[in-house]
C-alpha cells in the first residue's frame, strides 16, 4: 500500500523531470544531430580516376605545378578522392575545385553515395563567384540520395549562429560539425566588410543554422561578408552560371596557342 504508492509517485516524478533535465543539459542546444540528419544523405565521395597525360610536365612531378601526388596516383593506378555534396535534384554536386589541378589527367569521374552506390559524373562548370566546382551526376539520383534543402538564414550578424559540417574521405567517412566565428574588420580603410570564419577544411563544407537546416556551401576558410565577398548561400551557388568545362578547355587551348 504505502510503499507502492510512494514508488508510483517517484516514478511519475522521474518521468516528468527527465525531459526537463534533458532540456537543461549541455547537449540540448547542440545542433550536431539535427545537422547530420539533414545533410548526411547529401554528402558524396568524388573520385577522379587518373591517366597519363601527353604533356611531359604533367607526368614529371614538377613541384611548381603540384603534380607529384597525381603522378604517384597514376603510377599506382589510383584515384584522387574528395568530398562533395548534392545541391540540387538535377544531380549537381558542389566540390573542391583544385583537385586534380589539370583536366588532362582525368580519365573519368565517379561519385559514391551514403549507401555505397557508385555512379558516373562529369564536370559541369567552374563557379565564377566562389571557389568551387559543380559536377553533374549522369542519370537520375539513386534512391536515398537527397539534395540539400537550403533555407534562408537572413543577414549575418555577430548574433547569428552558424555551423559547418564536413565529411572526411578516409575509410571511416566521419562527419565533423563545428561552430563558425564572426569576425570584425579592424582596418576599415581597406573597404571590405566583416567576415565569417569557417573551421579549416580541404573539402566542401555545408553551412547550417541553429536548427540544423543547410543554408549554404563553401570551400573557403574565411568568407568576406562585404559586397565583394565570395558567394556561399545555396540560392546564389545554384544561380552562378559559371564557366562550362568545354569553355574552360577552349580558353586554355587559346591561351597556349597565343
Amino acid at each position: 500500500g504505502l510503499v507502492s504508492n510512494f514508488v508510483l509517485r517517484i516514478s511519475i516524478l522521474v518521468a516528468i523531470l527527465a525531459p526537463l533535465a534533458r532540456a537543461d543539459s549541455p547537449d540540448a542546444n547542440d545542433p550536431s544531430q539535427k545537422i547530420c540528419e539533414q545533410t548526411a544523405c547529401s554528402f558524396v565521395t568524388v573520385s577522379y580516376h587518373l591517366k597519363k597525360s601527353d604533356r611531359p610536365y604533367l607526368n614529371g612531378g614538377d613541384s611548381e605545378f603540384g603534380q607529384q601526388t597525381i603522378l604517384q596516383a597514376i603510377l599506382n593506378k589510383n584515384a584522387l578522392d574528395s568530398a562533395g555534396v548534392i545541391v540540387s535534384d538535377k544531380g549537381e554536386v558542389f566540390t573542391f575545385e583544385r583537385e586534380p589541378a589539370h583536366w588532362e589527367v582525368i580519365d573519368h569521374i565517379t561519385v559514391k553515395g551514403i549507401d555505397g552506390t557508385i555512379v558516373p559524373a562529369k564536370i559541369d562548370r567552374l563557379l565564377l563567384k566562389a571557389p568551387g566546382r559543380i559536377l553533374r551526376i549522369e542519370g537520375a539520383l539513386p534512391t536515398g540520395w537527397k539534395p540539400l534543402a537550403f533555407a534562408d538564414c537572413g543577414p549575418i550578424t555577430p548574433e547569428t549562429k552558424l555551423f559547418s559540417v564536413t565529411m572526411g574521405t578516409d575509410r571511416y567517412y566521419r562527419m565533423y560539425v563545428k561552430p563558425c566565428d564572426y569576425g570584425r574588420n579592424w582596418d576599415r580603410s581597406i573597404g571590405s566588410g566583416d567576415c565569417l570564419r569557417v573551421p579549416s577544411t580541404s573539402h566542401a563544407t555545408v553551412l547550417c543554422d541553429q536548427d540544423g537546416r543547410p543554408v549554404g556551401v563553401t570551400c573557403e576558410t574565411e568568407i568576406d561578408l562585404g559586397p565583394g565577398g565570395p558567394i556561399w548561400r545555396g540560392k546564389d551557388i545554384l544561380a552562378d552560371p559559371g564557366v562550362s568545362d568545354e569553355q574552360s578547355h577552349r580558353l586554355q587551348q587559346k591561351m597556349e596557342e597565343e
Side-chain angles (χ1 to χ4, degrees), residues 43-47 49 84 86 91 93 109-113 116-122 135-137 142 145:
F43 273 105
V44 294
T45 298
V46 177
S47 294
H49 303 268
I86 306 170
V93 175
I109 303 171
T110 58
V111 173
K112 182 170 73 172
T117 301
I118 298 176
V119 296
K122 291 184 177 180
L135 309 179
R136 191 178 294 271
I137 293 172
W145 295 25

Side-chain angles (χ1 to χ4, degrees), residues 165-239:
V165 55
T166 58
M167 184 185 73
T169 54
D170 59 11
R171 62 193 181 97
Y172 296 108
Y173 297 105
R174 292 190 175 98
M175 298 176 68
Y176 300 91
V177 179
K178 297 179 181 179
C180 299
D181 297 324
Y182 187 94
R184 287 288 192 183
N185 186 14
W186 175 73
D187 186 358
R188 296 293 177 179
S189 65
I190 61 177
S192 63
D194 294 343
C195 73
L196 188 70
R197 185 170 65 182
V198 182
S200 180
T201 178
S202 59
H203 295 296
T205 299
V206 181
L207 299 177
C208 299
D209 63 14
Q210 179 69 38
D211 296 321
R213 301 178 303 173
V215 296
V217 290
T218 187
C219 288
E220 291 274 34
T221 56
E222 189 170 282
I223 299 172
D224 186 348
L225 297 176
I231 60 173
W232 57 272
R233 296 175 187 269
K235 61 181 180 64
D236 295 329
I237 291 289
L238 293 174

Side-chain angles (χ1 to χ4, degrees), residues 31-41 146 175 212:
S32 299
Q33 185 63 33
K34 292 184 290 185
I35 288 174
C36 290
E37 289 172 356
Q38 297 187 61
T39 59
C41 293
K146 297 180 180 180
M175 298 176 68

